[in-house]
Amino acid sequence: MLKGKDRKFKLGLHSYTLHLSGFGESWGFQSEGKTYAFEKTHTLTDLMDLAVKEGIEVLHITLVDLDNDLSPEHLAQVKKDAEDRGIELELNISFNAPSDPRVNSTIEESLEIAHQIGAKLVKYSTDVEHPHPISHACMCPEAMEQISKIILDFKKNIPTIEKYGMQIAIENHCDLFSDEVIYMVKQLHHPLIGACCDTINSLMLAEGIEECVRKMAPYVNCVHFCDNRVFADPDGTHSLGCAIGDGDVDVVEVMKILREQAPPELDTIDLEIELPLSGYSIEEGRQLELDEMRKSIKFMKENLGIGTK
């Protein structure tokens, strides 16, 4: 395997990048016991066609993108549609998502779904809850009790993981410190099980971005590649998603670390953008998502050397 600047990665897209168009999941609308979902304006087939047009090689999708239609006929058609277009699929699963329960599944169910659509990898958000104050809650007893149960559940499903030969990735999804993810991966100690490093989520746990990436890099088989602008104003400190290269994440350094330290199982970098929801209409927001996605793709290809096509 090549290391350093000559190492190549496929260009992936997390469908959440287009969440205002109803892809990925609808996040942040759990107040008053209600859930809210953005209207889905296009189909998964449309997303695949867009991927082909934009030079995206891998789609990182959720159950929402499958319309929560888990019939064998539908899943087989999704697999065929992706294969016909030369698109690889990865499946994104949550256990107990706080905002959009449509993305939730068990390990057992998700492995079967992923196999039927021909996914090469399944990524899991564990939704572990830490007590307050969170900044010093890493590997605290309350979290470790939940983590231990999840580890045992993964162990129970290793025969199925081996049967299907799929990569499994456990994410630092605003709910796990990097040390906790690494602990889980080490405890499972299996060549098909690694970590998913999201390059911005560590901020939610008061953990430094570079520190998180350096810690997790030797274990990652999946990356959510994000950039955010971080700033303070009279209303507080904010982290707002933006196009890759426009924010305060040193994306060049992040890629350098990944090229040098990530294992060969990491073969794709998944672009993910979460733009602010205020300041424009839903129609303007949807167009802005597309514009920022295209700007990011251009930057990732031309400045970071991501993409094999």
Side-chain angles (χ1 to χ4, degrees):
M1 180 190 74
L2 289 174
K3 289 208 171 188
K5 61 183 178 62
D6 295 323
R7 184 174 177 183
K8 297 296 183 183
F9 295 99
K10 299 169 190 171
L11 174 61
L13 176 72
H14 191 332
S15 61
Y16 182 66
T17 296
L18 302 177
H19 71 285
L20 295 180
S21 295
F23 290 109
E25 66 177 294
S26 297
W27 187 87
F29 301 101
Q30 70 276 27
S31 61
E32 300 178 355
K34 300 176 183 178
T35 58
Y36 175 86
F38 289 112
E39 177 187 0
K40 196 168 185 182
T41 59
H42 298 85
T43 67
L44 178 55
T45 305
D46 295 331
L47 184 61
M48 292 181 188
D49 289 337
L50 178 67
V52 172
K53 178 182 177 182
E54 302 295 339
I56 295 163
E57 301 162 83
V58 181
L59 282 176
H60 190 86
I61 66 172
T62 72
L63 298 181
V64 171
D65 304 314
L66 296 173
D67 297 313
N68 290 91
D69 180 354
L70 306 181
S71 65
E73 297 78 14
H74 180 241
L75 298 181
Q77 186 61 53
V78 169
K79 179 180 180 180
K80 182 179 184 302
D81 289 342
E83 289 176 343
D84 288 349
R85 291 162 176 80
I87 296 291
E88 294 183 6
L89 297 177
E90 298 173 342
L91 184 61
N92 185 314
I93 293 294
S94 292
F95 293 147
N96 187 29
S99 298
D100 194 337
R102 297 175 299 166
V103 299
N104 293 339
S105 181
T106 65
I107 295 173
E108 294 90 341
E109 293 168 342
S110 60
L111 291 175
E112 296 301 327
I113 295 166
H115 174 65
Q116 290 182 65
I117 65 173
K120 68 183 181 110
L121 177 144
V122 191
K123 190 243 60 170
Y124 291 93
S125 304
T126 61
D127 304 301
V128 166
E129 296 183 3
H130 287 79
H132 179 79
I134 200 169
S135 65
H136 288 69
C138 180
M139 301 186 83
C140 67
E142 295 88 344
M144 292 308 294
E145 182 179 20
Q146 301 167 67
I147 288 169
S148 297
K149 291 177 180 178
I150 294 169
I151 290 172
L152 292 174
D153 200 6
F154 272 116
K155 283 186 174 181
K156 184 177 69 175
N157 284 280
I158 283 178
T160 304
I161 293 168
E162 291 177 336
K163 180 174 72 171
Y164 293 149
M166 284 182 296
Q167 289 285 322
I168 302 300
I170 301 170
E171 184 187 2
N172 61 326
H173 187 258
C174 303
D175 52 16
L176 284 180
F177 289 85
S178 55
D179 284 335
E180 292 172 337
V181 176
I182 292 167
Y183 173 81
M184 295 179 75
V185 173
K186 284 184 173 180
Q187 285 293 313
L188 290 164
H189 191 59
H190 195 282
L192 289 173
I193 301 176
C196 173
C197 180
D198 185 296
T199 59
I200 204 67
N201 280 348
S202 60
L203 288 182
M204 291 295 295
L205 297 166
E207 187 174 14
I209 293 173
E210 182 177 355
E211 176 189 9
C212 177
V213 173
R214 286 193 183 278
K215 281 185 178 180
M216 293 184 69
Y219 306 93
V220 296
N221 56 4
C222 180
V223 168
H224 290 174
F225 201 70
C226 312
D227 198 356
N228 278 35
R229 293 185 296 110
V230 182
F231 62 94
D233 64 20
D235 291 322
T237 302
H238 310 277
S239 172
L240 298 181
C242 61
I244 302 299
D246 283 354
D248 292 306
V249 177
D250 190 341
V251 292
V252 173
E253 180 64 19
V254 168
M255 282 309 304
K256 181 181 178 183
I257 295 169
L258 293 173
R259 282 192 162 98
E260 292 175 350
Q261 299 184 28
E265 287 77 15
L266 179 67
D267 66 0
T268 300
I269 303 296
D270 292 319
L271 163 64
E272 180 183 357
I273 306 173
E274 180 184 53
L275 297 177
L277 296 175
S278 59
Y280 41 73
S281 69
I282 186 68
E283 293 80 11
E284 292 169 336
R286 288 168 177 160
Q287 184 59 52
L288 185 60
E289 282 185 332
L290 283 169
D291 294 343
E292 298 293 273
M293 179 198 75
R294 290 181 172 123
K295 185 177 183 180
S296 297
I297 290 171
K298 185 174 187 293
F299 184 92
M300 291 171 75
K301 287 184 174 182
E302 295 181 0
N303 296 78
L304 302 178
I306 298 172
T308 62
K309 293 182 179 179

